[in-house]
């Protein structure tokens, strides 16, 4: 299962880089989406795909007596989701404003305008 996820992550990173290098701003935003999803999957896969109990300590014990899941990758992915949503929403607003001013989404035409 981890090999399939590794290949999927590689394909997502390759597609993200391809979309980031395109001339359209909309494709750049799609590349940002793919890049953030690939990074989130990478964090999950590197942490290991093992099931465990919730990391809760019973009352009166110093540590759980059984194997527990590691909460750190989940916290990292949650933080990455929030940050990528903020970056994505900023990029969408930037694309809309650029479209209102220039009426094109081609990055080469954005440099030629004198507004």
């Amino acid at each position: 299962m981890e090999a399939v996820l590794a290949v999927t992550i590689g394909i997502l990173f390759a597609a993200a880089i391809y979309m980031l290098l395109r001339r359209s701003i909309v494709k750049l935003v799609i590349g940002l989406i793919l890049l953030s999803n690939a990074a989130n999957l990478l964090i999950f896969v590197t942490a290991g795909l093992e099931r465990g109990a919730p990391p809760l300590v019973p009352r009166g014990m110093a540590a759980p007596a059984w194997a527990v899941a590691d909460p750190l990758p989940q916290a990292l992915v949650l933080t990455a989701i929030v940050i990528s949503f903020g970056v994505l929403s900023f990029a969408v607003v930037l694309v809309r404003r650029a479209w209102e001013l220039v009426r094109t989404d081609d990055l080469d035409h954005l440099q030629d305008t004198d507004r």
Side-chain angles (χ1 to χ4, degrees), residues 84-101:
S84 65
F85 180 73
V87 169
L88 181 65
S89 61
F90 176 74
V92 167
V93 170
L94 191 64
V95 166
R96 182 167 186 251
R97 183 67 180 152
W99 175 259
E100 288 175 357
L101 290 177

Side-chain angles (χ1 to χ4, degrees), residues 36-102:
S36 65
N37 287 331
N40 292 340
L41 277 176
L42 181 67
I43 292 171
F44 265 138
V45 171
T46 56
L49 299 174
E50 297 178 10
R51 291 185 182 215
L56 302 173
V57 179
R59 189 172 297 220
M61 294 182 69
W66 51 85
V68 295
D70 187 13
L72 183 62
Q74 297 171 15
L76 288 174
V77 169
L78 182 62
T79 305
I81 288 170
V82 171
I83 291 171
S84 65
F85 180 73
V87 169
L88 181 65
S89 61
F90 176 74
V92 167
V93 170
L94 191 64
V95 166
R96 182 167 186 251
R97 183 67 180 152
W99 175 259
E100 288 175 357
L101 290 177
V102 186

